Every structure is written in structure tokens, then in C-alpha cells.
Amino acid sequence: MKRANFFKRWKIALVVIITKLLTFHAAFASMGSTGGGGGSSSGGGSSSSSSIISSGNDKSGDSFKAFLFVLFFCGLYILSSVSKMVVRLYRRTRDITEVNGLSKWMLIPNMKIKDFKQGLKRAKIRLENDAVDNQLAQSLVETYAWAQFVYGQSIRRCFADSSNYLDQLKSQLGRFSLSTMHDEIIAKASNGIIDDVLVNHGKVVSAQKISPDLIIAKVQVSGIDSEVNVLSDFNSSFKRQQWTDYVVFGRKQGSAQWKIYNIVYGAHFHLNGEDFNHQQSLDISGYTEEHLEVSPELVKSAEDYKKRFNRRKNVKTVVRWIVFILGLLFVNHILG
């Protein structure tokens, strides 16, 4: 993790080092131009002084070129960061625009239960037992069940390096939620973790219609939810048969299809010593940790994907270091 965090900051390191070099060369140039001023008071001294001034101007010009080069890299760094923020803002804005009643706070990913309840309280939203009829409740549960199943299958498709592993999730999740799940799928797949979810039965415990196109529901389901790290000898695998989540359901205005725009996980569990959710569970059924078997083919797929993932990451790292070194050489060439 420390090495990964270091490589993530390579651009910042580039800016800092080059800025230091510029400061040093600028100071050196300044010292050179002032130090030679007292050479001679004769006519020849005037020529020497002109030469020193000319040299100083050249140094200043080179420093300015190097400064522009640094600004260029700073601009690339800022553009990269801003573009990511703009894309996330666009997705969130489109969700809010398309779903009547959807608010920004409802889309916060990986929200804790206490924060979600505080959001409900601030928005004066109270979940009630009979807020939706049985038919609508069943439709919401089916949407939730299918999205969970497809999520698990997407991780397996990611193992297989399939380019369309998100295709089915696109029809189940809102834009912002899809981007969050995409990051989670990559994180789990790169660590050899599978998460298989099969819902057999479910019900809406309580809910509230925020608008005709937005419903917040507390959903309780039973089935099998198993999470296994296939690259760690299956130690401390996680499994549960019943769980409860808060789910934000929405649909585009005029559409009949419900999608999931956020899930607030109502379970406290951990895997391989890492705590995934520091909060109390919404359900008293709990979970068990046991040795869960997976097929040898899946283990092989996970190993192959991890190799491909690390290879791609290493290639990106090498490219960044090459750019970093070339940048230093270029600035050094300009400054002489």
C-alpha cells in the first residue's frame, strides 16, 4: 500500500523537484550576474559587463522556458484531477435531474447507517411499514435481488477479463451508483475476492415514497451471500443467510423500470481480518466464517486476472517514471 501511495503522488513529486531545480538555477544565475559586476572600471570593463548581462539574460530566458515546462505538467495534473471530478459531478447531476426527488446526500457511497439516518432526519423523511403496496414492494425486492446477483456475476466476468462485465449492471443501477460499484468490482477482482449473492425471499420492512419516482426502503432478504478470497487459501470466508439493507430506488420520469441509486449496507462483517463496515447490523441473524469451496477453474481465473492487473499497473508505473525522468532531463538541458 505504501508503494502504491507513493506512485500515486509521482506528479506532485515531479513538480516539487523541478521547482527546487528552478529555484537553485535562478539563484545561481542571479549570483553570477551580480558577482561579475566589479571586474573593471576601464573601457574593457564595459564590454565584460555587457557580456555578463547577456549571460544573465540567457539564464533568465532558460529559466522561464523551464518554468513554462513545469506549468505544462502542473496543468496536466490539474486537468486530470478536474476531469475526474467533472465526470463524477456529471453522473450525479444526471441522476438528480432524471429522478424526481433525488438529493445529493442520498447518493453518498459507502454511507454508514448513522449518517443515513441523520440524512433522513434532516430531510424529515420517516420510513413507515405500509408506505408501499404488496405489488410494488415485490417489484422492489426483485430489482434488489437481481442487481445483487448480477453484481456477483460481474466480478466473475471481470476475472475472465471480459470487456462487457458491467453491461448487465447498467440496466440495474443509476449512473453514480454504477461508477461506485465499478470501483468496488475492480478492487475485489484484483484481490481475488468473489461475492456471490442469491436472494430466495425478501420483503420491504418499511419505506417512504419521496416522489412517484423515488422510494427509500428498508429491505430484508434471505438467501446466500458468500464472500471468499480465493487467493488466500479460503481462510475466514464470510457467509450469511439473512441480511437487511437500506436501498434508494428510483426511476426516470415516465419510466416503469426501477433502478438502485444507492445501497446503505446494514451489516457488520469482515474478511481476512479486515473490517468492511464499522457499524452495528440492521439484522440479528449475523454471519459465519468458514471454509467455502470454489472451483479450481475460478482460482486459476483469479490468479490470471491478478497477474494481468499487476502487469497493467506496473506498465503505468514505468511510463510515469519515464515521463518523470525525461522531464528532469529536459529541464536540465534547458538550464544547461
Side-chain angles (χ1 to χ4, degrees):
M1 289 297 294
K2 290 182 179 179
R3 189 183 77 161
N5 290 334
F6 174 77
F7 285 138
K8 286 180 181 179
R9 293 173 174 80
W10 72 273
K11 295 176 184 177
I12 298 177
L14 172 64
V15 173
V16 171
I17 293 175
I18 294 180
T19 302
K20 290 291 185 181
L21 287 174
L22 289 179
T23 304
F24 173 78
H25 279 278
F28 181 80
S30 177
M31 289 175 62
S33 61
T34 56
S40 172
S41 59
S42 64
S46 175
S47 175
S48 175
S49 177
S50 299
S51 176
I52 293 172
I53 293 174
S54 176
S55 176
N57 289 335
D58 290 341
K59 286 289 185 180
S60 298
D62 290 342
S63 296
F64 181 69
K65 292 177 181 178
F67 179 69
L68 290 178
F69 182 76
V70 173
L71 284 182
F72 173 74
F73 269 86
C74 289
L76 287 180
Y77 176 75
I78 294 174
L79 180 62
S80 175
S81 301
V82 170
S83 62
K84 292 178 181 179
M85 294 175 58
V86 169
V87 170
R88 289 180 62 85
L89 179 62
Y90 167 78
R91 290 169 176 165
R92 188 177 65 187
T93 302
R94 285 295 302 270
D95 284 345
I96 294 174
T97 301
E98 292 176 352
V99 181
N100 182 25
L102 190 63
S103 300
K104 182 172 66 175
W105 72 269
M106 299 177 187
L107 296 174
I108 298 175
N110 303 318
M111 201 181 334
K112 294 183 178 180
I113 293 176
K114 65 176 182 178
D115 296 332
F116 183 72
K117 288 183 176 180
Q118 290 176 357
L120 291 176
K121 186 176 181 180
R122 287 193 300 267
K124 297 180 180 180
I125 299 173
R126 182 177 180 180
L127 306 188
E128 300 176 353
N129 294 338
D130 299 320
V132 295
D133 58 53
N134 292 336
Q135 183 177 357
L136 178 55
Q138 187 60 32
S139 175
L140 297 179
V141 170
E142 290 175 358
T143 298
Y144 172 84
W146 182 245
Q148 290 283 30
F149 174 77
V150 172
Y151 165 72
Q153 295 302 304
S154 296
I155 299 177
R156 289 174 176 267
R157 292 191 183 96
C158 190
F159 279 164
D161 211 28
S162 173
S163 59
N164 61 348
Y165 63 91
L166 286 179
D167 285 357
Q168 292 189 33
L169 269 179
K170 290 179 180 178
S171 62
Q172 302 297 317
L173 306 178
R175 286 183 176 85
F176 199 74
S177 180
L178 180 66
S179 65
T180 301
M181 289 297 102
H182 178 220
D183 295 339
E184 187 172 338
I185 289 170
I186 294 295
K188 286 190 174 181
S190 62
N191 287 285
I193 298 175
I194 62 170
D195 190 358
D196 291 329
V197 185
L198 181 61
V199 175
N200 296 325
H201 177 74
K203 64 179 180 178
V204 174
V205 178
S206 59
Q208 187 58 255
K209 276 190 173 184
I210 312 303
S211 75
D213 302 314
L214 180 66
I215 297 174
I216 297 179
K218 184 177 182 180
V219 178
Q220 183 182 75
V221 297
S222 60
I224 298 177
D225 180 10
S226 59
E227 189 168 294
V228 187
N229 190 330
V230 301
L231 301 180
S232 65
D233 298 326
F234 316 107
N235 293 327
S236 300
S237 297
F238 159 77
K239 185 177 182 179
R240 60 182 176 177
Q241 287 76 39
Q242 181 175 305
W243 62 97
T244 305
D245 293 332
Y246 286 113
V247 187
V248 179
F249 294 99
R251 61 184 180 183
K252 297 180 181 179
Q253 299 180 28
S255 173
Q257 181 185 7
W258 290 95
K259 292 185 178 182
I260 293 176
Y261 285 81
N262 200 4
I263 297 179
V264 181
Y265 299 105
H268 175 93
F269 62 91
H270 63 279
L271 179 66
N272 295 329
E274 182 178 355
D275 203 330
F276 279 78
N277 214 336
H278 298 274
Q279 61 185 354
Q280 293 182 347
S281 175
L282 288 175
D283 199 282
I284 61 174
S285 62
Y287 61 91
T288 58
E289 291 183 349
E290 56 188 83
H291 181 98
L292 300 177
E293 296 285 354
V294 296
S295 66
E297 292 78 12
L298 183 60
V299 176
K300 183 66 166 56
S301 296
E303 291 174 343
D304 291 342
Y305 179 80
K306 188 173 183 64
K307 290 178 181 177
R308 292 193 299 269
F309 179 82
N310 289 335
R311 191 182 303 119
R312 293 166 186 165
K313 185 171 65 174
N314 291 336
V315 168
K316 291 179 180 178
T317 300
V318 170
V319 170
R320 288 169 180 171
W321 275 108
I322 290 175
V323 173
F324 174 78
I325 294 172
L326 289 177
L328 285 180
L329 294 175
F330 183 74
V331 171
N332 186 63
H333 173 72
I334 292 178
L335 296 178

